[in-house]
């Protein structure tokens, strides 16, 4: 079994900012993809904002099992139609891993239905990521906690829906806390948000972070066939009811065979 | 204490369809609002699609504790800016009750982040609404179940996120089932979806349905002050960290005092 | 409306340990109850381990809306029959607030179905309690966070089921984190766990802690009549089925009118 | 990879009741185990009430990945110590599938913390099991629904905690509904309750039921090492705090190195 994973990178800071380029000379997406490819089950490729359709054509997405998303400065430049396309694929069963500043990406806000806001501070302080359930598939192989020496603080309140599972909670040197690993399901798609990953620190080279991402891709992978038509509201007419045929009673709005309203 | 409730009605079928007008000559919103006003704690007014800003001005929403939403044919005619305005108010703490065909309303899909699709059949069959937790505030006063003699079937799969609570599950004469009462929280706002309420049957005159709606408005009401700025991501600079002042380490993207990206 | 609240205290350390007696000369339960009684809606009395039936007779519990539980050293001395009695009342709708070392109380473990273990350290370090949802009824009136100058550290992993809501997350001086405020529902009863409250520090005199407890009692209160018989599995015979009478098909284990097995 | 699965059967009705023996001449546990073993990944053995330690010795459980539980008449005869042993293994990561009348088994009630009661009727009526999320691993390969021609009715309210996921909801000929497939996590263990399976009908020969059980075993399997000591509350002394050594402030209850109370 091979999991086809696409790492999407905004690829802006790497081009514009010397600090970021120094750390990620080939782009953050490339580094993240290399980390994933350490796992023999994962086949990782990349896509960026600058490519046609942001590298996320209908065909590409149809052949993607898990999408990893890193964006920050250019959230607003992501085309709304592509966002809807990605959302549809998540509902059909594609996994989605949203990283760090992706909390404010269009796709994450679209799937959460909440502001997804938080507190932040860029001071290179220490972060200690505590593992809530060490036997959760996303935490396999970790100890009680791991540390990131320099990080951007992301603090509560994180205005997301109550998660399916809280996998990680972070302690910060400056005094804040953050639910740094959260799982959701949207339609048939598994969604994981993971907060570490600020672009001015070499976080995606960290062994624990790479382990979390590899685990998360495997957790998010759903081998079932895509749930085609999940957004459709099919009519089951009276003569085809499970207990049918039914006698039609009372008034009607729709003519037989007519589509529902949207 | 008075709960300020606005019942929003699309008000289209009542104008165009004789069956619906016959049942709801003053509009469904008016009937729903009258049912709510039976409760001395609820002050119910109405708003419709046809009014300026759909009757949902900034001022009106700011003075609304709970919004009840009924729409069907004209979901697409609701202005996107008004939808965002309502979502913002829900996040700030306004309660929202979404009724029946409102499953496909822009506001419900916006808050759920999923397709919100389902199966349907308009055959006037019987629906039996089972109460999962009789002591849930939304179920106060109900028996084990109540029946609606003629209803539109809404069947599973209902593609919504896993709810906070499943309050009701419906049995249909034709053989389907439906999770007919579901609760969610989005930001500070309580959201309740309730499926009965097809416009060609006199469902909003039913005593049990009216009881559910009165209960739901009281459940959804959050007396806390509006969570202003819930969608903002405030910076907590290094010198104002709870444990601060912090020494700044490592590279930086943002200049001191700079706003974050969105 | 008056909420009848009983504060149950183990009342052992106050008798045996000078430090604790110095802080709580009348017992922790008395201090907690006085804090609650500051709220005009709450009528707070106390019960202790040493009283007959631990002060929790059938009659007393039947007249209790919300029970607050503080225990530590003598968990094992609480009578199993009383634990079952309390559990039954929670299922029927009585609220339960479990404090601090009560994480290992028989009643909390009984209702959670998990070990409820955690890490701990008694070093008088600082705790900063972060508010995840400021508009949650249990958090009304709090700021972004509040601090407790000297606390016992309770650290993750806290082996409880995923909660209905995470209301608070704590930051510790020593480097750990903890989900310090969690809500659950068990049957018709609302359950809240709140971790601050070590007996060698004057935590229950703290204004923020008292506010949380007052809020929690009001949140946990369920005005619905007790769900009598919630633990019974009633038979609905074939002739009394909602769609009945049903023709009986196939083999049978039970004779008509017979009770089910337990 | 092989999943080591033990099917536990009460094995009483098969001995005492002619109808049940006629359907399951080798015992229900044997039929269930054979169904599971159709899947090459599952190695299924059986254990029964009558064996020493009910067939669930410490060694056997340590070598079990997933336990399937069917009991009914003799719940009360299951030794409390064995129940605790099974609970401990679930917390450590062993999967548990609870079937039908197992809703009232000691182990299920132990893990849920609620009464787990329901309505019932033995009339051989039809059950239609609706699939809520067709891409859930437990539902792989099923259609929108499947039917069981003769079943025992289990009706709501089912007094269990709100599940992690509602996988199935059942429609009954007699008019009731039931959340017939529910998932939970307790400690590191995945728990699935599945309601079909009354002993007087040949339900465990049904292809769809067998598919659900095979899927459920694979879903429940957690390959992580057992979480040894999950029920322990380890002390992290001040000199070994992550940020340590900490200066000890304030009063203390415990002497250095002392165990916590239970």
């Amino acid at each position: 079994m091979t999991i086809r994973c696409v790492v999407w990178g905004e690829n802006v800071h790497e081009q514009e900012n010397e600090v970021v380029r120094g750390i990620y000379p080939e782009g953050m997406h490339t580094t993240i993809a290399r980390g994933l490819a350490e796992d023999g089950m994962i086949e990782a490729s990349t896509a960026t904002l600058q490519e046609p359709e942001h590298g996320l054509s209908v065909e590409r997405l149809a052949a993607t099992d898990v999408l990893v998303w890193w964006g920050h400065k250019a959230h607003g430049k992501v085309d709304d139609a592509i966002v809807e396309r990605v959302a549809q694929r998540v509902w059909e069963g594609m996994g989605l891993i949203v990283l760090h500043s992706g909390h404010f990406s269009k796709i994450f806000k679209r799937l959460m239905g909440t502001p997804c806001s938080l507190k932040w501070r860029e001071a290179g302080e220490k972060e200690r990521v505590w593992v809530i359930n060490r036997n959760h598939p996303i935490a396999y192989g970790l100890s009680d906690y791991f540390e990131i020496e320099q990080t951007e603080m992301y603090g509560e309140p994180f205005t997301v829906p109550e998660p399916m599972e809280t996998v990680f909670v972070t302690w910060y040197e400056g005094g804040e806390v953050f639910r740094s690993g959260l799982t959701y399901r949207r339609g048939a798609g598994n969604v994981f948000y993971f907060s570490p990953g600020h672009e001015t620190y070499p976080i995606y080279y960290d062994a624990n972070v790479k382990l979390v991402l590899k685990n998360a891709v495997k957790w998010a992978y759903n081998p079932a066939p895509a749930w085609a038509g999940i957004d459709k509201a099919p009519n089951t007419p009276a003569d085809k009811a499970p207990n049918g045929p039914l006698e039609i009673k009372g008034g009607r709005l729709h003519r037989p065979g007519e589509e529902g309203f949207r």
Side-chain angles (χ1 to χ4, degrees), chain A residues 35-51:
Chain A
L36 293 174
E38 289 176 0
D39 189 299
M41 283 174 62
I42 301 172
E43 181 188 291
S45 61
T46 65
T48 58
L49 177 69
Q50 297 78 18
E51 298 172 37

Side-chain angles (χ1 to χ4, degrees), chain A residues 227-246:
Chain A
W227 186 339
I230 186 174
D231 58 329
K232 299 291 185 298
N235 180 249
T236 305
D239 57 342
K240 293 196 174 135
N243 296 340
L246 297 181

Side-chain angles (χ1 to χ4, degrees), chain A residues 133-141 165 167 211-212 214-216 218-220:
Chain A
N133 176 355
R134 73 174 69 170
N135 280 29
H136 191 284
I138 297 179
Y140 287 166
E165 304 152 316
V167 182
L211 180 56
V212 167
K214 286 180 277 194
N215 285 344
K218 286 187 266 191
W219 168 83

Side-chain angles (χ1 to χ4, degrees), chain A residues 19 21 24 26-27 32-33 50 63 70 76 82 86 128 135 164 212 221-222 234:
Chain A
V19 173
R21 189 167 49 234
Y24 297 109
E26 296 176 86
I32 294 168
Q50 297 78 18
W70 197 99
I82 306 291
V86 172
R128 185 176 293 117
N135 280 29
M164 183 157 75
V212 167
Y221 172 57
N222 190 333

Side-chain angles (χ1 to χ4, degrees), chain A residues 109-210:
Chain A
K109 293 193 292 182
R110 176 72 178 87
L111 293 171
M112 294 295 106
T114 59
C116 304
S117 58
L118 45 72
K119 289 190 168 66
W120 64 280
R121 175 175 57 242
E122 195 189 18
E125 68 203 271
K126 179 188 282 196
E127 164 172 14
R128 185 176 293 117
V129 181
W130 287 90
V131 178
I132 303 301
N133 176 355
R134 73 174 69 170
N135 280 29
H136 191 284
I138 297 179
Y140 287 166
L142 294 172
S143 299
D144 277 12
Y145 63 82
F146 64 93
E147 296 182 347
I148 297 172
E149 277 310 306
Q150 294 195 342
T151 202
E152 182 181 29
M153 183 281 288
Y154 270 11
E156 296 284 348
F158 186 22
T159 58
V160 286
E162 200 68 34
M164 183 157 75
E165 304 152 316
T166 299
V167 182
F168 302 120
V169 173
T170 280
W171 176 100
Y172 288 103
E173 191 181 339
E176 283 88 355
V177 295
F178 198 66
R179 292 170 296 162
S180 45
L182 300 175
T183 69
Y184 295 91
R185 187 166 294 138
R186 287 295 179 266
N190 298 312
V191 178
F192 179 59
Y193 175 79
F194 186 57
S195 62
H198 192 54
E199 59 266 48
T200 65
Y201 317 114
I203 290 175
Y204 292 116
Y205 294 99
D206 181 89
N208 290 307
V209 169
K210 287 198 291 182

Side-chain angles (χ1 to χ4, degrees), chain A residues 57-89:
Chain A
S57 67
V58 170
E59 297 71 28
R60 182 88 183 274
L61 282 174
T64 300
D65 295 315
V66 179
L67 180 65
V68 178
W69 194 275
W70 197 99
H72 190 187
K73 191 181 185 175
H75 291 323
K77 293 193 176 154
V78 178
D79 192 270
D80 287 340
I82 306 291
V83 173
E84 284 306 299
R85 187 187 287 172
V86 172
Q88 177 77 22
R89 274 293 293 141

